Amino acid sequence: MKITYLGHAGLFIETQFGSILCDPWYTPAYFSSWFPFPDNEMLMRTKVGCKPTYLYISHLHQDHFDQTYLKQYVWSGATVLLPDYPLPLLERALRNIGFTRFRQTTSGQWLNLNRLKVMTLATVSPSDGPLGDCALVVDDGKTRIFNQNDARPLDLTPLLEDGRPVSAHFLQFSGAIWYPMVYDYPEQMMRTLGGKKRENEMARALYYIKQVKAAHVFPSSGPACFLDPSLFQYNDFDCDSTNTFPDQVVFLDYMKEHGYKNGHLIIPESCLMFEQGTVTIKHPYPELGIRESIFHHKKAYLEAYQRRQLSRIKANLAAHSCQQISIVAALKEWFEPLLAQADYLCYGIGGRIVLDCGDEAIVIDTLSRQVYAWNREIDWKYYFRIHRSLVEQCIATRQEDWVNALFLSFRFIAQRKGTYNEYIYTFFKCLSEERLRYAENYYQHKAEAISTFEQHGYRIQRICPHAGADLSRYGSFDLEQGILTCKMHGWQFDLKTGQCLTSEKHLISIGPSKDADSVEKTYTQRSPCSHCWFRQEESLKK
């Protein structure tokens, strides 16, 4: 098996039974805020992987689904390996740019492709990517690789249960979110939150490394770099312990500090040859030079990269000029019918969201289910200050997922009263009846699920209310502090009250164990992590 690293989450996998192109990304994403790091533009021109047997796109985030590149460069006759998602959003997007051949996968089950075996591990909660994220396992009979990219599978059993060793593990370790840098916080608070976020990101990656036990680990899927002068300070130039975007070299050092010396640095055009359990890595130039020119002198490298791209950034942003439409009227017509149906989301948000576009400010009121102009006296729960041209662009293109366009651009300032509220961003992912119906059904069935386990004298709700992780497996107890931590995303709960210490509006069921000597007891009616219920209900409706 030969793998050419394309940058970010991009892989071109070549086997004797066919090739797979995974998540190629070259085009600046999110209103030209994100660029691949290191620069991979030269690799795009070589057209490596442009005629694959199979195409695999893990999810619809723009740094994984590069619509421009796929449409212009990739052979449309490739067979697409579709993740097991309950909504056909990814298939629809690929059909729109010319792909017609598809093989549906089933999460956690092997699919045979002419002696090449593949398996997807899909996560499908509204908080996963753009309503879903997915990892890929590839096995050619001699070598097994786990392309986790930035997915966070809750159950690795299907990957590990047959006991076959994993030769290579590709996974995200760095930040890919706007928190905390866009929030209007004092400097010291920002640094404290940034440091905690950075540590959680790398600790989560290390947790997966420990579980998979791959022979070789390749940090990938980030970080992106930020070349617009207004965002340039978000890059981690000098291993700042409070920056949420540590690079590959930082994480490799982190692995070594924790006893893992099987990590490898790769850059775009690095070739990995797997043979009889060993890997040979060939870089486009010597690794010592790579570390020196790209990572040890990172600021100079990014400044040169910025100079090459600055005119492109300016041109892209200039294309989104203000049309001076009535944003209030447009969002009222669009959002109010959705709010009328969004019982669980509106309850979860429980307040008003303000979009301040300067000369026009809008209230999205989840209490009255209305959209109206903000008079700057009405109280709010979340406040966003965003340039009107970006909001107008989302309206003009009828963006059904503002997270995957506007919020991931980092081009806004936010304030909030209280802690993080996932329902707000879920609403902005679900700006169509199809998406909203899925989210509402998900939260309904999640609320109805009854599942508990007993440990350390407590009887506790099994399912974490954030993303559905099994707390009996992913829960970590600090009995001295009285805190239960979900290791999947770092959410914490008070063991006395069940109150979430990370996000408001979340409460887990917790009480004294019926049997203090019991290790674990389970009472389950249904699993809210499965999305079978959604397909079943949709079938019944039809």
Side-chain angles (χ1 to χ4, degrees):
M1 185 183 292
K2 176 184 176 183
I3 300 177
T4 303
Y5 181 53
L6 307 178
H8 204 63
L11 302 176
F12 181 52
I13 305 168
E14 297 174 89
T15 78
Q16 61 181 316
F17 308 120
S19 60
I20 307 175
L21 176 62
C22 306
D23 286 351
W25 174 44
Y26 299 97
T27 308
Y30 312 119
F31 292 113
S32 297
S33 295
W34 292 35
F35 284 77
F37 172 80
D39 186 2
N40 63 352
E41 193 169 27
M42 73 294 183
L43 193 57
M44 179 181 69
R45 291 192 290 268
T46 66
K47 298 186 179 181
V48 171
C50 284
K51 196 170 183 180
T53 314
Y54 304 100
L55 173 66
Y56 170 75
I57 303 297
S58 60
H59 59 294
L60 278 170
H61 276 155
Q62 293 176 21
D63 56 315
H64 296 260
F65 175 61
D66 186 342
Q67 178 173 308
T68 301
Y69 176 77
L70 292 171
K71 187 174 182 178
Q72 293 183 1
Y73 290 96
V74 178
W75 179 49
S76 61
T79 298
V80 178
L81 303 175
L82 277 177
D84 191 8
Y85 293 148
L87 295 181
L89 304 175
L90 179 57
E91 178 181 354
R92 194 179 299 155
L94 287 163
R95 286 190 183 278
N96 286 342
I97 57 175
F99 292 91
T100 58
R101 299 178 181 178
F102 295 87
R103 287 294 299 272
Q104 180 65 59
T105 66
T106 300
S107 185
Q109 296 184 19
W110 288 104
L111 175 64
N112 290 311
L113 304 169
N114 186 27
R115 297 175 65 187
L116 180 66
K117 293 170 57 180
V118 300
M119 177 169 60
T120 57
L121 299 175
T123 55
V124 296
S125 86
S127 61
D128 289 314
L131 303 187
D133 206 342
C134 193
L136 176 71
V137 188
V138 180
D139 193 324
D140 68 354
K142 297 179 180 179
T143 301
R144 175 176 292 185
I145 70 144
F146 181 37
N147 175 16
Q148 186 177 341
N149 66 83
D150 53 7
R152 300 169 189 174
L154 300 177
D155 185 6
L156 296 176
T157 303
L159 166 66
L160 305 173
E161 63 184 352
D162 62 3
R164 274 182 52 77
V166 178
S167 297
H169 186 182
F170 299 83
L171 83 165
Q172 184 192 56
F173 60 94
S174 189
I177 199 71
W178 54 83
Y179 174 84
M181 65 284 298
V182 303
Y183 284 90
D184 189 9
Y185 291 147
E187 179 63 25
Q188 185 54 49
M189 182 178 179
M190 187 77 76
R191 293 182 63 81
T192 300
L193 293 172
K196 184 176 180 180
K197 180 72 174 173
R198 179 186 178 103
E199 175 60 30
N200 285 344
E201 291 160 355
M202 295 197 289
R204 181 177 59 241
L206 193 67
Y207 169 80
Y208 277 111
I209 290 169
K210 291 177 181 178
Q211 298 299 307
V212 175
K213 297 182 176 65
H216 305 281
V217 176
F218 300 91
S220 55
S221 297
C225 62
F226 313 99
L227 304 182
D228 188 309
S230 66
L231 306 175
F232 198 60
Q233 73 275 10
Y234 294 154
N235 297 295
D236 183 15
F237 300 121
D238 50 8
C239 301
D240 180 355
S241 63
T242 68
N243 188 289
T244 63
F245 302 107
D247 60 35
Q248 293 88 327
V249 170
V250 171
F251 184 68
L252 289 170
D253 289 342
Y254 179 86
M255 286 180 62
K256 289 177 183 177
E257 290 169 7
H258 289 80
Y260 290 83
K261 300 180 180 180
N262 60 335
H264 303 277
L265 176 65
I266 50 175
I267 65 167
E269 211 172 351
S270 292
C271 288
L272 319 176
M273 185 66 72
F274 294 90
E275 202 166 10
Q276 297 180 342
T278 64
V279 62
T280 302
I281 304 174
K282 183 178 180 182
H283 297 299
Y285 54 97
E287 182 169 326
L288 184 62
I290 292 170
R291 288 178 176 267
E292 187 69 16
S293 62
I294 298 177
F295 296 96
H296 294 168
H297 295 93
K298 187 173 178 181
K299 188 171 184 179
Y301 175 86
L302 289 177
E303 286 173 341
Y305 192 177
Q306 182 187 60
R307 287 193 292 272
R308 295 194 299 272
Q309 297 291 344
L310 200 53
S311 60
R312 185 182 194 179
I313 295 170
K314 290 179 178 178
N316 288 346
L317 291 178
H320 306 305
S321 58
C322 295
Q323 302 300 315
Q324 294 300 320
I325 64 170
S326 171
I327 296 177
V328 173
L331 294 187
K332 185 178 183 65
E333 177 271 331
W334 183 0
F335 287 2
E336 283 193 354
L338 299 176
L339 291 170
Q341 304 173 56
D343 294 338
Y344 283 89
L345 289 179
C346 286
Y347 173 77
I349 296 169
R352 301 179 184 90
I353 306 167
V354 169
L355 302 181
D356 188 348
C357 302
D359 59 343
E360 193 172 3
I362 306 94
V363 177
I364 302 168
D365 191 334
T366 64
L367 303 175
S368 67
R369 313 282 184 101
Q370 293 178 313
V371 175
Y372 48 84
W374 183 46
N375 62 12
R376 302 188 183 273
E377 294 179 0
I378 297 171
D379 192 29
W380 48 264
K381 191 168 188 178
Y382 254 68
Y383 169 90
F384 298 100
R385 188 165 73 247
I386 310 170
H387 195 280
R388 72 172 295 129
S389 65
L390 303 185
V391 175
E392 286 186 358
Q393 179 67 16
C394 289
I395 293 171
T397 56
R398 200 71 172 188
Q399 276 286 347
E400 295 180 354
D401 182 353
W402 284 23
V403 170
N404 191 23
L406 180 55
F407 292 117
L408 278 168
S409 74
F410 299 3
R411 296 182 183 276
F412 66 99
I413 299 294
Q415 297 179 46
R416 69 190 187 198
K417 295 176 181 177
T419 54
Y420 172 75
N421 187 316
E422 76 170 78
Y423 297 98
I424 289 174
Y425 293 107
T426 297
F427 173 74
F428 281 112
K429 288 181 182 182
C430 297
L431 299 176
S432 71
E433 288 197 12
E434 178 185 40
R435 289 169 175 261
L436 184 71
R437 187 171 64 249
Y438 171 69
E440 284 290 301
N441 278 321
Y442 179 91
Y443 287 121
Q444 177 185 348
H445 283 259
K446 187 175 177 181
E448 292 174 354
I450 300 174
S451 177
T452 64
F453 70 102
E454 296 186 12
Q455 197 166 332
H456 297 298
Y458 295 97
R459 187 170 186 261
I460 303 168
Q461 170 182 324
R462 178 180 289 272
I463 301 302
C464 177
H466 173 223
D470 185 339
L471 291 173
S472 70
R473 296 184 58 202
Y474 293 97
S476 173
F477 290 80
D478 184 337
L479 298 178
E480 185 175 333
Q481 297 293 325
I483 293 174
L484 168 64
T485 300
C486 178
K487 293 185 290 188
M488 184 58 61
H489 298 96
W491 283 40
Q492 296 183 320
F493 303 89
D494 188 309
L495 283 171
K496 290 184 178 179
T497 65
Q499 182 63 50
C500 182
L501 305 176
T502 312
S503 172
E504 62 183 10
K505 292 285 185 184
H506 285 92
L507 186 74
I508 62 171
S509 173
I510 192 166
S513 171
K514 291 183 178 180
D515 180 1
D517 298 325
S518 169
V519 176
E520 180 177 310
K521 294 180 181 178
T522 304
Y523 312 85
T524 305
Q525 289 184 347
R526 73 175 68 144
S527 169
C529 298
S530 170
H531 56 259
C532 295
W533 52 264
F534 184 77
R535 286 187 173 142
Q536 289 169 355
E537 291 204 351
E538 290 303 290
S539 177
L540 288 171
K541 287 177 183 177
K542 291 176 182 177

